[in-house]
Amino acid sequence: MKPFLSFALICSFFLLSAEQTSAQTAQEKLPTWALGPFLRPAGVNPIISPNTSTTFLDPLSGKYVDWESNDTFNPAATVKGKEIVVLYRAEDKSGVGIGHRTSRLGYAYSTDGLTFKRKSEPVFYPGNDNQKELENPGGCEDPRVAVTSDGTYVMFYTQWNKKVARLGVATSKDLIKWTKHGPAFAKAYNGKFYDMFTKSASIVTKLVNGKQVIAKVNGKYLMYWGEKFLNAATSDDLVNWAPALDEQGRIKELIKPRKNYFDSDLTEAGPPALLTDKGILVLYNGKNASGDQADKNYTANTYAAGQVLFDAKNPEKVIDRLDKPFFVPTESFEKSGQYPAGTVFVEGLIFHQKKWLLYYGCADSRVAVAVFDPLKK
């Protein structure tokens, strides 16, 4: 006779089954305008984990540091020739707790998008340059990357000097050598928002002959950005951006947290947005609140991913928005590390071999991938 399962084991089994069922149900009921379902490929994740053996000569301290020894997470992704490149945030052990270490961006590359090799040194980091004051000592965090039709890569990232977080812009032709352009909103409205806490940009892209490239909307480049609320900004040159304002001259809030929903605490822009025949599709990261504001179907403080559709003719107008997340933390590596409440933080989205690959951070500690095959929807 087989031994009886312990009560604790039975409870954990049903809890895990409920979470997986909730995630599966949410994906099965996606509207036609949304992307998904995104599935985790078996035996692959996490695709990037901390490495204690790689070192880097820090130009600011003049010392070698184990730059990716503590955590590797929150990735950008793009296509370079026949390779998929992931730029991931890596933290050393210089401090205690999230946001108290130094972040640099590592470079990983792959031909299938699932198995990656990595460069031993970061390709983007705080240095002796004109952005030193804004990036030292916190570093360069949470990148999003997209490419123009002529092959210029544009990266948005958080400049963190441990005083004010600013949304920075950088460009490159090879994803290795970068030109830093400084804060995206530095010149807008005579510098009105220069010292405002800004981060997380999702620039609008579209598919052209199977290649995902940066697109214009109503004659201008467009991005959705923000951490607490989702906002918009436009640009003529991809470097200098002007946020959309309301009638009082304040940052215009396009979507915001909803009481008792999975995104009840914040709505943070995710990977590059996508211009489709239905509208502008934005994937975003929603954080669940705790207490009375929370969605009780999900763990308090959990980060899960949502989708919202904007009108392409009026990009500040919401057409539709998912009430349930399309992607939630279910795996052990998504519920451990720096953020054990559970995190799937989406930042990279690419189209490769007729499939969509979504790259995300796991509990602020690892990088993973999920795949959506439109032919199987």
Side-chain angles (χ1 to χ4, degrees):
M1 181 180 292
K2 294 182 179 179
F4 289 106
L5 295 174
S6 70
F7 179 75
L9 183 60
I10 292 173
C11 289
S12 64
F13 171 77
F14 280 111
L15 178 61
L16 179 61
S17 298
E19 290 179 340
Q20 290 176 336
T21 301
S22 176
Q24 184 177 3
T25 300
Q27 293 197 42
E28 288 175 349
K29 295 181 179 179
L30 288 175
T32 57
W33 57 262
L35 282 184
F38 282 92
L39 305 176
R40 299 164 178 83
V44 169
N45 288 318
I47 57 172
I48 298 173
S49 297
N51 187 342
T52 58
S53 66
T54 50
T55 59
F56 164 70
L57 181 60
D58 176 34
L60 297 180
S61 68
K63 299 178 181 179
Y64 281 93
V65 295
D66 49 355
W67 64 280
E68 57 178 348
S69 59
N70 206 78
D71 299 282
T72 51
F73 58 113
N74 291 7
T78 190
V79 177
K80 176 183 173 183
K82 295 183 179 180
E83 291 182 342
I84 293 93
V85 174
V86 167
L87 300 177
Y88 59 96
R89 174 180 171 183
E91 288 186 339
D92 57 25
K93 295 181 180 293
S94 61
V96 179
I98 300 172
H100 295 285
R101 306 181 183 95
T102 299
S103 291
R104 303 171 180 89
L105 303 185
Y107 183 110
Y109 56 100
S110 170
T111 55
D112 63 5
L114 305 178
T115 304
F116 283 81
K117 295 180 180 180
R118 290 148 69 171
K119 291 186 178 295
S120 60
E121 294 189 347
V123 295
F124 200 86
Y125 44 85
N128 286 306
D129 53 41
N130 61 4
Q131 298 303 308
K132 176 181 176 180
E133 181 182 349
L134 305 184
E135 297 176 358
N136 184 53
C140 308
E141 303 178 350
D142 299 355
R144 279 85 163 164
V145 174
V147 64
T148 64
S149 57
D150 68 355
T152 298
Y153 294 95
V154 182
M155 178 169 69
F156 302 93
Y157 67 102
T158 302
Q159 300 179 295
W160 177 230
N161 59 8
K162 296 191 178 180
K163 297 176 183 177
V164 178
R166 294 178 176 88
L167 179 60
V169 185
T171 55
S172 175
K173 283 291 187 180
D174 61 4
L175 297 169
I176 298 173
K177 297 178 181 179
W178 290 90
T179 299
K180 295 179 180 179
H181 299 282
F185 305 138
K187 297 180 181 179
Y189 310 107
N190 296 315
K192 179 179 180 179
F193 301 108
Y194 181 81
D195 288 326
M196 186 176 122
F197 194 108
T198 57
K199 62 188 302 186
S200 305
S202 171
I203 192 169
V204 175
T205 63
K206 66 178 179 180
L207 286 182
V208 179
N209 298 322
K211 183 179 180 180
Q212 187 181 3
V213 296
I214 294 173
K216 286 187 175 182
V217 179
N218 297 333
K220 288 183 177 290
Y221 298 110
L222 172 69
M223 70 175 176
Y224 295 91
W225 64 279
E227 179 185 35
K228 184 68 175 180
F229 309 103
L230 207 61
N231 315 295
T234 56
S235 173
D236 293 316
D237 60 7
L238 293 171
V239 172
N240 299 290
W241 293 81
L245 305 182
D246 62 18
E247 295 178 353
Q248 287 74 41
R250 298 171 300 195
I251 298 294
K252 190 173 184 179
E253 300 167 1
L254 304 184
I255 70 167
K256 61 183 71 177
R258 299 172 291 182
K259 181 181 178 180
N260 301 137
Y261 284 83
F262 75 95
D263 51 10
S264 49
D265 192 61
L266 61 77
T267 53
E268 185 168 353
L274 189 63
L275 180 61
T276 73
D277 58 355
K278 302 285 196 325
I280 303 171
L281 177 61
V282 179
L283 278 60
Y284 69 93
N285 297 290
K287 182 183 179 183
N288 194 23
S290 59
D292 294 339
Q293 299 290 318
D295 184 334
K296 304 304 181 183
N297 293 303
Y298 307 97
T299 303
N301 302 313
T302 291
Y303 278 87
Q307 298 186 39
V308 57
L309 186 70
F310 288 92
D311 190 328
K313 294 181 179 179
N314 180 8
E316 298 176 11
K317 178 183 177 182
V318 174
I319 296 177
D320 204 355
R321 180 178 176 183
L322 297 183
D323 288 335
K324 294 182 178 180
F326 74 96
F327 202 61
V328 301
T330 59
E331 306 302 308
S332 60
F333 53 84
E334 298 165 356
K335 300 180 178 182
S336 59
Q338 289 196 93
Y339 204 85
T343 298
V344 287
F345 197 83
V346 297
E347 284 192 24
L349 179 69
I350 66 164
F351 191 70
H352 177 66
Q353 295 181 348
K354 299 182 180 181
K355 297 178 182 178
W356 289 100
L357 279 68
L358 182 65
Y359 294 90
Y360 62 99
C362 309
D364 281 2
S365 298
R366 305 288 188 274
V367 173
V369 63
V371 181
F372 165 47
D373 185 349
L375 298 179
K376 294 183 179 179
K377 186 172 183 178

